[in-house]
Amino acid sequence: MRKVPRRSRAVNAPAAMLAPVGAAAVLLVATASTWAWAGPLTGKDDAVRRRQLLLGGTAALGALPGSVAASDSDFEPSGLLRLGSSLASFFLKPIYTLEAPLQAGDYDRAAVRARIDSEVKSSPVVVYSYSLSPFCSEAKSLLDSLGARYKTIELAPEWLPGLAPVEAAQVRAELGALTGQTSMPHVFIGGKSIGGLFTGTPGLVPLLESGELVAKLKAVGAL
């Protein structure tokens, strides 16, 4: 299986230092603008509309270094979401790690862990998801582009207090305790965590770009 070619280019040092800052500003503005333009979002169609606004309105970022077409399908990872994932991993992951247990409160860890163990074994591929998250939508689009069979477990619209019921917060906290990841999507293949969209162990897109994803999916009967 042919692997995705990596891009190589000379980069001006000052520009390289400033590029992430500028891109982060674009990401924040795009996200805020999406909420403002889309208005109240409650249903599935609204979630699709928000994702289209977020990705379509900033399509130029798809050409960022590291955003390359995948060879196993017609799916092309979003450069904007790749950047957002990198920024979130660096700046927000430590905060999420502390915040998730606080949001979950006291709960029966053994019961929640048993629930997770049952759910991740209920299908060859299981995706824990937030219905309004563009990262989760992108992960499901990737699997759809391959024709993979998978089960989606929608925990909540988003992780924010008020949007996530207590049961969702508890599952999120216990996933964090089990794997170190509290963000969604959280993908399990053959009952084992492979992480999220761009990050994890190693994540869906890294597996796709290394040429390993299709083999993993076939091995568990998802293809």
Side-chain angles (χ1 to χ4, degrees), residues 139-164:
K140 288 175 279 190
S141 294
L142 190 165
L143 292 169
D144 287 338
S145 74
L146 295 170
R149 181 166 62 94
Y150 64 95
K151 176 180 180 179
T152 302
I153 298 175
E154 298 289 0
L155 293 177
E158 283 283 4
W159 67 269
L160 295 169
L163 291 178

Side-chain angles (χ1 to χ4, degrees), residues 82-171:
R82 189 190 298 266
L83 173 65
S85 177
S86 297
L87 292 171
S89 294
F90 185 80
F91 292 108
L92 299 180
K93 185 176 180 178
I95 297 174
Y96 288 161
T97 300
L98 295 174
E99 175 272 333
L102 295 176
Q103 186 179 359
D106 293 329
Y107 62 93
D108 187 338
R109 293 191 60 186
V112 175
R113 188 164 296 202
R115 169 188 167 174
I116 293 171
D117 186 61
S118 175
E119 288 175 340
V120 301
K121 294 176 181 177
S122 65
S123 177
V125 179
V126 172
V127 180
Y128 286 95
S129 170
Y130 293 140
S131 59
L132 295 182
S133 165
F135 296 94
C136 296
S137 297
E138 190 87 338
K140 288 175 279 190
S141 294
L142 190 165
L143 292 169
D144 287 338
S145 74
L146 295 170
R149 181 166 62 94
Y150 64 95
K151 176 180 180 179
T152 302
I153 298 175
E154 298 289 0
L155 293 177
E158 283 283 4
W159 67 269
L160 295 169
L163 291 178
V166 64
E167 294 84 1
Q170 292 169 357
V171 170

Side-chain angles (χ1 to χ4, degrees), residues 30 33 35-36 45 47 52 60-61 72 84 94 100 105 120 124 128 130 163 171 184 190:
S33 299
W35 284 103
D45 291 341
Q52 289 173 339
L61 285 177
D72 289 322
V120 301
Y128 286 95
Y130 293 140
L163 291 178
V171 170
M184 306 300 153

Side-chain angles (χ1 to χ4, degrees), residues 1-91:
M1 184 179 294
R2 181 174 64 86
K3 292 186 178 181
V4 178
R6 298 292 181 183
R7 295 181 179 177
S8 176
R9 65 178 69 181
V11 179
N12 177 271
M17 294 172 63
L18 291 174
V21 177
V26 172
L27 177 65
L28 292 173
V29 171
T31 302
S33 299
T34 295
W35 284 103
W37 296 336
L41 302 175
T42 56
K44 182 177 179 182
D45 291 341
D46 289 330
V48 172
R49 182 158 56 98
R50 184 181 106 170
R51 182 174 180 273
Q52 289 173 339
L53 284 169
L54 177 60
L55 300 183
T58 53
L61 285 177
L64 285 170
S67 177
V68 295
S71 61
D72 289 322
S73 71
D74 295 330
F75 180 85
E76 182 171 357
S78 162
L80 174 62
L81 292 184
R82 189 190 298 266
L83 173 65
S85 177
S86 297
L87 292 171
S89 294
F90 185 80
F91 292 108

